Structures are given as structure tokens and as C-alpha cells.
Amino acid sequence: MHKIAVTVLLALMIAPALAEEHVLGPGEEPKAKTATQKEDDARAVRAYQRSLNSVPDQKPVDPWGTARGDDASKKSAATAKPAVKQSSKAAKSGAN
């Protein structure tokens, strides 16, 4: 009974791979697309770009803002300092 169950499970796992139309082997080139396939691809790209343009801009999200409170998030944003680059001499002397 155990062997039958294993055989059935293997058959169920292998069936989708065998159902593929054709899988390219090593060194095998894909077939050239027809004109209608190229048009469909171009149409899909244009639809994707249109959908990206329709997404509204969103404000930055502060997930810890409710835990900190509104005052703390405004203070931290105002007091944040930009990163300072080290000079090349200081970086070299620090590496020694």
C-alpha cells in the first residue's frame, strides 16, 4: 500500500512538468515571435505603463509614529543631520 501511495504522489508531481508544451534544452534557441505576439507584448507593456501612471503618490509612512506620538516624529525629522563624508586623508589614516 505504501508503494502505491508513493507512486501516485510521484505521478502527481511529475504530471505538470510533462504537460509543458516544450521546455528549451541547453543551446536551444526560442522560436521567433509572430507579428501578433509582438503586438500583444507591446500592448501589454503599454497597459502596464498606464497602470503605473495611475498609482497616486503616497506620503512617507512612519510605522512607529503612533508609539512615539506626533511631537517626537516632527522633532526627529527636524533635527536629523545629513550624512557627513570623511576626507580621503581621514579615511586612509583610520584604515591603518
Side-chain angles (χ1 to χ4, degrees), residues 6-92:
V6 170
T7 306
V8 169
L9 287 175
L10 285 175
L12 289 173
M13 290 172 41
I14 294 173
L18 295 176
E20 290 288 325
E21 185 175 313
H22 179 72
V23 178
L24 295 177
E28 197 173 352
E29 295 293 323
K31 293 180 182 178
K33 292 185 177 185
T34 63
T36 57
Q37 288 174 331
K38 290 179 184 178
E39 290 172 6
D40 290 342
D41 289 345
R43 195 175 305 122
V45 168
R46 287 192 303 270
Y48 175 72
Q49 292 299 326
R50 277 195 312 268
S51 70
L52 288 181
N53 290 335
S54 66
V55 175
D57 292 334
Q58 296 180 351
K59 295 186 280 184
V61 177
D62 184 13
W64 288 95
T66 57
R68 271 194 302 269
D70 290 333
D71 297 335
S73 62
K74 290 179 184 176
K75 279 187 211 175
S76 65
T79 60
K81 295 181 181 178
V84 178
K85 291 185 180 180
Q86 293 181 348
S87 66
S88 60
K89 288 182 183 179
K92 288 180 183 177

